[in-house]
Amino acid sequence: MNKKLLSDLIMVLISTILLYADRKQQELVTKAITEKNPQLKIQSLKEYEQRYGEKKDKFRKFLYLNLADASFRVKKYDDCILYGEKALAIPEIGDENR
């Protein structure tokens, strides 16, 4: 009985940690995407890329599309091309964003 209770408790703890981590990730990407200042937007998106860039998650396509757009707005054309190419490499990018 104690082993079952302990294993259930561990599962609840792990689930809570995973839910909190996902919420933190979602908050960071939402803050970055809704930022109006292009310089701050680039900074926030790069922070997100540094933390979660390797994960193939649902936000990755928005990350590179927004980095390309913000880089274009601040006239960093080399960065715009770099992030645009990364965005185009993602299969989930629709034709409307190509």
Side-chain angles (χ1 to χ4, degrees):
M1 180 71 175
N2 285 337
K3 288 183 181 181
K4 175 139 177 66
L5 181 64
L6 182 61
S7 68
D8 288 345
L9 185 61
I10 290 173
M11 291 300 289
V12 168
L13 182 63
I14 290 172
S15 299
T16 304
I17 290 170
L18 290 175
L19 286 173
Y20 177 74
D22 188 46
R23 187 176 333 142
K24 189 84 166 162
Q25 180 182 2
Q26 187 172 2
E27 287 174 3
L28 183 60
V29 77
T30 302
K31 176 188 166 222
I33 288 175
T34 58
E35 179 63 52
K36 299 292 183 202
N37 183 334
Q39 292 287 0
L40 293 175
K41 186 175 198 164
I42 290 171
Q43 183 180 353
S44 297
L45 289 167
K46 284 185 177 182
E47 180 184 339
Y48 178 85
E49 181 186 31
Q50 208 171 35
R51 286 188 184 176
Y52 306 107
E54 296 299 316
K55 283 179 72 175
K56 297 190 185 224
D57 62 0
K58 60 186 175 186
F59 301 118
R60 195 175 82 164
K61 69 178 179 180
F62 300 116
L63 168 72
Y64 293 121
L65 287 172
N66 279 280
L67 272 169
D69 180 57
S71 297
F72 182 79
R73 290 176 190 238
V74 296
K75 299 180 181 178
K76 292 185 177 182
Y77 300 117
D78 291 337
D79 288 345
C80 178
I81 292 169
L82 174 73
Y83 294 123
E85 288 175 347
K86 286 184 177 185
L88 288 173
I90 298 172
E92 295 90 28
I93 298 293
D95 290 335
E96 68 278 357
N97 290 319
R98 289 191 179 270

